Amino acid sequence: MSTEYAASTPSSTDSARSVAEATRAVVQEFLAARLAGDTGRLVALFADEVDWVLAENPVVPWIRPRSTAAECAAQFTELMEHTVPEDARASVDAFLVDGTDAVLTGHVSGTVRATGKSFEGPFALRLTVEDGRITRHHLYENSLSIAEACTP
């Protein structure tokens, strides 16, 4: 291969970096839309069909199976309806990107409106971004603390 040709062809490292940068940009946009409560933007960021995993919890009204972009975006609205928005806290400790996959870890806390009880704990969120849209949303959190806060 000539040096001239090699210099004009992106390397696999450059290609992988570009995929990771695109993934990071979509995830950052997702976080900004969540923070702003922009459900319209969230619908646009989720793919038409999403691999959604959040352990079903019958006593937690905002935790249920979801699969469409609109259902996934609605989770934020439902969460805000059932919790005290000014008590909601989330911090991200790590934001790792590998190609189309991103993993965020951190801590969440809040208060359930109906009971006045608080919940808190660590979380891990795995997102996959394909063609600029989120196709996987797997959230692992302290479901016991949340269930206890929802129980009168």
Side-chain angles (χ1 to χ4, degrees):
M1 177 187 313
S2 75
T3 307
E4 182 178 319
Y5 177 76
S8 64
T9 304
S11 71
S12 61
T13 301
D14 290 341
S15 179
R17 186 176 309 126
S18 134
V19 170
E21 287 170 0
T23 297
R24 181 175 297 278
V26 170
V27 173
Q28 288 172 327
E29 193 171 346
F30 165 78
L31 294 173
R34 284 284 308 230
L35 187 61
D38 186 346
T39 55
R41 186 68 195 126
L42 289 169
V43 169
L45 286 169
F46 280 110
D48 295 338
E49 290 290 320
V50 179
D51 174 9
W52 178 276
V53 172
L54 179 54
E56 198 168 347
N57 197 329
V59 300
V60 182
W62 64 88
I63 296 178
R64 61 179 175 78
R66 298 168 193 272
S67 63
T68 68
E71 289 171 343
C72 294
Q75 192 267 345
F76 173 79
T77 304
E78 293 170 20
L79 174 64
M80 292 299 101
E81 289 170 356
H82 294 284
T83 60
V84 179
E86 52 274 7
D87 289 352
R89 302 281 181 272
S91 61
V92 174
D93 300 326
F95 181 179
L96 309 169
V97 178
D98 183 15
T100 61
D101 291 313
V103 175
L104 293 90
T105 61
H107 191 86
V108 297
S109 62
T111 302
V112 175
R113 189 182 307 273
T115 65
K117 294 181 182 179
S118 296
F119 59 88
E120 62 87 24
F123 77 88
L125 175 61
R126 179 183 179 193
L127 299 169
T128 299
V129 176
E130 297 171 308
D131 297 322
R133 297 180 76 195
I134 298 167
T135 59
R136 175 185 296 136
H137 181 285
H138 290 188
L139 179 62
Y140 307 94
E141 61 187 2
N142 186 348
S143 57
L144 179 59
S145 176
I146 296 168
E148 288 173 348
C150 288
T151 305

